[in-house]
Amino acid sequence: MRIDVISLFPEFVAQCAGFGVVGRAQERGLLALHGWNPRDYAEGNYRRVDDRPFGGGPGMVMLIDPLRACLQAARAADPTPAHVVYLSPQGQPLTQAKVRELAGRERLVLLCGRYEGVDERLVQAEVDEELSIGDYVLSGGELAAAVVVDAVARLQEGALNDAESAAQDSFEDGLLDCPHYTRPVEHALGKVPDVLLSGNHADIARWRRMQALGRTFLRRPDLLDPATLAPADRRLLDEFLARQGGEPGAGT
Ligand code: 6GU
């Protein structure tokens, strides 16, 4: 997969993508990341990329022409047609389902705004989809682009070492992940739950499912409507709630 990032700080996104799973995906040739700076396509001695908003108000708006020339250069660098995503707080929320869809594309262009945003005419003419990574304000789209690159890179075939681990992630089945433990069994901070030491794989799978259901219910009720649960899951959730006394404890 190829991702082109259009940003006033393209090195920032590249740096974010240099480590861990994403860095390895690049080394393995599963992901090619390219940065493009609209300032390199701006005219004049000052290489202006922004101007004051018509109608007044604070902040600056990114100019059409440097962005468009930059986008054109990025498109022309490879014959593969690109799906152009503009990262902005006005976009549709990024979900794991959307990540999966983006990860299946051959080529993405991620357009990062700075200042108050980019001229709406550029968005209308060149952008296929506008995405946000949450209901809070960042000073630019770069962190959001890094989020997209990471989430999409780890879904590329061969990016993860354990083929299982992506399928078991939080959200892949609509639930939060269960808790995890490693050595030592006994620690001053507590003991590992017995079931995980039992070697009984059916019991372990059942316990994990129960924890995933319980945590999702307590922490993210927006993700789980008990009324729509399969009867077996409903029983597991009831058991979880009965066991912890129905109290949303601080440790859950
Ligand atoms: Cl994609 N951009 C900015 N600037 N702020 C955000 C965002 C994106 N998503 C959430 N907040």
Side-chain angles (χ1 to χ4, degrees):
M1 176 182 205
R2 175 180 173 124
I3 302 181
D4 296 89
V5 176
I6 297 187
S7 160
L8 291 171
F9 309 103
E11 321 76 34
F12 174 80
V13 182
Q15 283 276 335
C16 287
F19 304 96
V21 171
V22 186
R24 216 174 55 211
Q26 292 195 77
E27 286 161 19
R28 290 180 178 172
L30 307 171
L31 171 71
L33 195 62
H34 299 267
W36 302 85
N37 194 333
R39 198 165 309 271
D40 296 336
Y41 300 85
E43 304 282 340
N45 283 342
Y46 294 97
R47 298 201 163 267
R48 246 197 124 113
V49 292
D50 61 335
D51 208 336
R52 292 152 61 203
F54 280 122
M60 301 290 268
V61 177
M62 291 180 75
L63 292 162
I64 294 175
D65 283 338
L67 276 177
R68 200 153 77 116
C70 186
L71 187 57
Q72 237 152 38
R75 284 193 203 271
D78 189 295
T80 310
H83 183 71
V84 180
V85 176
Y86 172 41
L87 283 321
S88 105
Q90 283 72 49
Q92 290 295 118
L94 183 68
T95 61
Q96 190 62 23
K98 175 56 70 180
V99 167
R100 247 176 272 130
E101 181 199 312
L102 295 177
R105 294 186 181 272
E106 242 187 295
R107 187 177 182 201
L108 297 177
V109 168
L110 303 180
L111 175 60
C112 305
R114 278 266 148 184
Y115 318 110
E116 296 312 295
V118 317
D119 190 300
E120 187 63 19
R121 292 166 292 183
L122 185 278
V123 179
Q124 291 293 325
E126 302 279 5
V127 170
D128 295 308
E129 139 169 79
E130 195 166 337
L131 292 176
S132 160
I133 62 163
D135 294 338
Y136 41 81
V137 180
L138 303 171
S139 44
E142 284 75 13
L143 278 168
V147 164
V148 171
V149 169
D150 186 299
V152 152
R154 60 192 299 289
L155 292 187
Q156 300 303 304
E157 186 82 47
L160 297 175
N161 281 328
D162 181 352
E164 284 268 78
S165 47
Q168 289 182 8
D169 282 338
S170 286
F171 300 112
E172 281 297 345
D173 62 0
L175 296 176
L176 303 185
D177 205 357
C178 63
H180 300 282
Y181 300 87
T182 186
R183 296 191 294 174
V185 171
E186 310 249 16
H187 189 277
L189 297 184
K191 189 178 177 306
V192 174
D194 286 329
V195 62
L196 297 179
L197 311 172
S198 69
N200 184 324
H201 296 294
D203 283 356
I204 292 169
R206 185 177 179 282
W207 181 86
R208 286 182 167 158
R209 182 83 188 165
M210 180 166 68
Q211 293 293 319
L213 288 160
R215 292 180 136 195
T216 308
F217 179 78
L218 293 176
R219 300 181 182 192
R220 293 292 305 275
D222 56 308
L223 295 178
L224 192 155
D225 177 3
T228 65
L229 283 178
D233 278 344
R234 184 64 209 247
R235 282 192 295 275
L236 285 176
L237 177 58
D238 288 343
E239 186 181 335
F240 177 93
L241 294 172
R243 278 201 203 179
Q244 57 110 50
E247 291 288 320
T252 58

